[in-house]
Amino acid sequence: MESLEKILVQHPFVEGLPSEHISLIVGCAKNAVFEPGKYLFKENDEANNFYIIRSGKVAIEIYSPEVGSIIIQTLGEGDIIGWSWMVPPYQWRFDARAVELTRVIELDATCLRNKCESDPRLGYELMKRVANVFEQRINAMRLQLLDLYGRK
Amino acid sequence: MQVMFPSTYKVQRFIKETHYTFTIELKSLESRNGFSFEPGQFNMIYIFGVGEIPISISGDPNKSGILVHTTRAVGTVTKQMAKLKKDDIVGIRGPFGKPWPVKEAIGNDVLLVAGGIGLAPLRPVIYHLLSNREYYGRIILLYGARTPQDILYRKELEKLRSRLDIDIIVTVDRAVKNWTGNVGVVTTLIPRAPFDPLNTIAMICGPEIMMRYTIVELIKRGLSKENIYVSMERNMKCGVGFCGHCQYGTEFVCKDGPVFNYKEIEHLFGKREI
Ligand SMILES: Cc1cc2nc3c(=O)[nH]c(=O)nc-3n(C[C@H](O)[C@H](O)[C@H](O)COP(=O)(O)OP(=O)(O)OC[C@H]3O[C@@H](n4cnc5c(N)ncnc54)[C@H](O)[C@@H]3O)c2cc1C
Ligand code: FES
């Protein structure tokens, strides 16, 4: 557990959290590795986990029967994956696939939600951090829609 | 050089880069000396009988014998340019404009952020930095393109990537199955790019909206406005500060730019009407 705590402390997502909060999070965490091509989860799966990427690259995809899988975005070291674990009905809205060998910290969503409910300070901190990521992703997606690099 | 009269150049090579972009290599028909320029400068290219437009020089500033331009076909003149063949003649006036701050960047990390065709005006900077490698810290190029097919200078980037003294990170907006690189706009690469924000000069080139959001991310990372440089585009006619076509507030893009320090034009940047 101690080594997991050490790893977690260095991650930008938890940077600056008080140690008692980090200990609470570590209680829900374990290490996981995904080989290239392996899915972390698929659309409509229950959002039972939440991932903090330590290394590697993960593609966020949406499947379309006509086109196949469309990559919307790739995430890497320092990123977190998903907020569906925080928002009912706790179901993934997209697929997540490892593009390279990817090491993550996998957090048990139920465990984390329970801890957030019983410690609203932790809940609020995590909510702020997830909201921040959410804001960045939504901005990036808007720019993608704008066709940032000029006319066709 | 008589600034208002074009010199004639012959197309030596025409290279199709992507669906919409092409590179022409030109050789002077007149001057015995080569053509010297600084990274970031542009030429007015005259396609006889069609018109004259500003295009940045995208070749190696150390190779003075050959003049290189990479262009995206968008309208009247550039679409005619796209039809040029070997041995065709074009008119050239230039080089014009203020260069990228490669001298000011000595001793610092250099971060280049390019979007779309914006990689072309930054390519001479890459050549310059690499041939004077010992004077700079880390060199990082972040490049965003619409799709993998739109990536400019693809082979050259792949070759550069194998060097250990430059970090090149490419991202695309849209990818299909076989793409194993990054997906997302170029601004998403900034938070974790490997540079020291207190000791970095950033040079950005791309559409204004891309530059605007890039600057937001750079400032979030801790870069000061004084260390950020952008290259602006405006319609041009004379290229030398006579006609006023390129006026940008109190500045003329042709002679005070196209490269500007962000701090100096911050009050104009992103304004809807100037
Ligand atoms: C200093 C400077 C350096 C430049 N360097 C380069 C370069 O290295 N490579 C390059 O390809 N271009 C470069 N440009 C842009 C280039 O000058 C224009 O694309 C060109 O003038 C368009 O001329 P045209 O006659 O083909 O298009 P026009 O017939 O004038 O325009 C046709 C349509 O395309 C639109 N359009 C024009 N320019 C652009 C643009 N840049 N992006 C999107 N839409 C546009 C116009 O609004 C119009 O709707 C540079 C511009 C400046 C000011
Ligand atoms: S193009 Fe004539 S003043 Fe700039």
Side-chain angles (χ1 to χ4, degrees):
Chain A
M1 269 306 162
E2 201 196 34
S3 66
L4 200 55
E5 186 152 351
K6 263 192 202 146
I7 294 168
L8 202 60
V9 169
Q10 288 164 7
H11 198 281
F13 182 71
V14 294
E15 204 182 315
L17 274 184
S19 58
E20 71 265 24
H21 282 166
I22 292 183
S23 302
L24 285 174
I25 296 173
V26 168
C28 303
K30 66 173 199 220
N31 265 315
V33 181
F34 293 89
E35 299 285 334
K38 279 274 169 312
Y39 281 88
L40 282 73
F41 51 80
K42 287 199 164 170
E43 190 176 347
N44 292 330
D45 284 354
E46 268 182 54
N48 289 330
N49 294 309
F50 161 55
Y51 300 91
I52 296 182
I53 305 180
R54 290 177 52 206
S55 64
K57 189 188 286 168
V58 175
I60 303 299
E61 301 177 343
I62 289 185
Y63 182 78
S64 141
E66 297 90 45
V67 193
S69 290
I70 302 161
I71 308 173
I72 307 167
Q73 190 176 35
T74 48
L75 302 174
E77 188 181 333
D79 286 326
I80 63 158
I81 305 180
W83 39 83
S84 305
W85 68 278
M86 233 186 194
V87 189
Y90 312 123
Q91 241 177 359
W92 293 115
R93 296 276 170 240
F94 44 79
D95 302 338
R97 182 177 54 88
V99 183
E100 300 166 358
L101 183 76
T102 300
R103 294 179 194 284
V104 297
I105 295 177
E106 186 174 291
L107 295 138
D108 182 303
T110 315
C111 167
L112 212 54
R113 284 195 297 259
N114 288 340
K115 287 193 176 164
C116 289
E117 289 295 338
S118 57
D119 185 343
R121 276 194 316 132
L122 170 68
Y124 181 55
E125 256 320 309
L126 284 190
M127 187 62 94
K128 275 198 290 189
R129 283 157 198 252
V130 172
N132 195 21
V133 174
F134 188 69
E135 191 257 1
Q136 283 168 1
R137 301 268 166 86
I138 217 164
N139 278 343
M141 232 168 252
R142 280 180 180 154
L143 293 177
Q144 230 165 342
L145 286 175
L146 269 180
D147 205 358
L148 202 61
Y149 306 121
R151 285 164 207 220
K152 287 204 170 101
Chain B
M1 177 186 64
Q2 284 180 288
V3 292
M4 297 312 282
F5 290 98
S7 311
T8 47
Y9 277 69
K10 193 163 158 175
V11 177
Q12 281 223 310
R13 208 150 83 98
F14 182 99
I15 307 152
K16 191 169 162 63
E17 300 278 1
T18 71
H19 191 57
Y20 299 97
T21 52
F22 55 91
T23 296
I24 48 173
E25 292 181 0
L26 304 167
K27 200 155 176 70
S28 174
L29 288 176
E30 295 162 16
S31 59
R32 254 170 278 139
N33 303 324
F35 185 99
S36 73
F37 72 98
E38 291 180 72
Q41 288 194 296
F42 66 94
N43 280 325
M44 296 299 291
I45 302 189
Y46 194 9
I47 304 297
F48 293 104
V50 187
E52 197 188 35
I53 52 163
I55 299 288
S56 301
I57 306 167
S58 61
D60 187 342
N62 291 320
K63 289 187 189 155
S64 61
I66 206 100
L67 182 57
V68 184
H69 286 285
T70 302
T71 306
R72 197 163 72 119
V74 290
T76 319
V77 180
T78 49
K79 282 183 180 159
Q80 278 303 314
M81 265 176 89
K83 294 180 189 156
L84 285 172
K85 295 180 301 302
K86 189 170 183 311
D87 296 335
D88 283 347
I89 309 288
V90 300
I92 296 285
R93 289 194 294 130
F96 298 132
K98 294 238 171 82
W100 294 106
V102 288
K103 290 192 190 83
E104 293 82 338
I106 288 174
N108 291 281
D109 290 352
V110 182
L111 174 71
L112 310 174
V113 190
I117 186 80
L119 183 57
L122 281 172
R123 189 162 72 155
V125 179
I126 301 173
Y127 292 135
H128 177 89
L129 298 177
L130 292 179
S131 57
N132 295 278
R133 188 64 191 87
E134 66 274 26
Y135 296 111
Y136 300 94
R138 277 168 292 194
I139 301 174
I140 305 111
L141 167 67
L142 309 180
Y143 175 46
R146 185 179 287 125
T147 72
Q149 288 75 41
D150 291 308
I151 294 173
L152 209 54
Y153 313 132
R154 194 174 180 141
K155 288 216 174 79
E156 192 173 333
L157 288 179
E158 276 166 15
K159 215 164 127 194
L160 281 177
R161 241 189 181 151
S162 61
R163 287 180 66 134
L164 299 173
D165 56 357
I166 177 167
D167 287 293
I168 298 185
I169 313 177
V170 177
T171 184
V172 298
D173 269 8
R174 273 185 282 293
V176 277
K177 268 225 157 124
N178 297 333
W179 174 252
T180 53
N182 297 299
V183 179
V185 286
V186 71
T187 53
T188 61
L189 302 177
I190 293 168
R192 274 174 309 281
F195 59 87
D196 169 11
L198 300 178
N199 182 31
T200 292
I201 301 285
M203 306 179 200
I204 319 172
C205 191
E208 272 183 46
I209 185 159
M210 168 261 168
M211 296 200 285
R212 215 161 81 209
Y213 284 92
T214 299
I215 290 167
V216 171
E217 290 301 322
L218 290 178
I219 290 173
K220 265 199 220 163
R221 257 303 288 269
L223 243 79
S224 70
K225 292 170 184 171
E226 292 85 354
N227 288 344
I228 301 176
Y229 291 79
V230 293
S231 179
M232 303 303 296
E233 276 191 13
R234 285 294 179 272
N235 284 337
M236 290 189 184
K237 241 188 168 63
C238 69
V240 285
F242 293 156
C243 72
H245 265 77
C246 67
Q247 199 156 355
Y248 182 48
T250 53
E251 316 281 329
F252 291 111
V253 173
C254 66
K255 71 175 175 64
D256 304 317
V259 174
F260 289 96
N261 182 284
Y262 176 60
K263 179 88 182 153
E264 284 161 16
I265 53 152
E266 188 189 355
H267 59 293
L268 301 170
F269 203 76
K271 281 244 175 83
R272 275 155 215 219
E273 277 159 46
I274 299 169

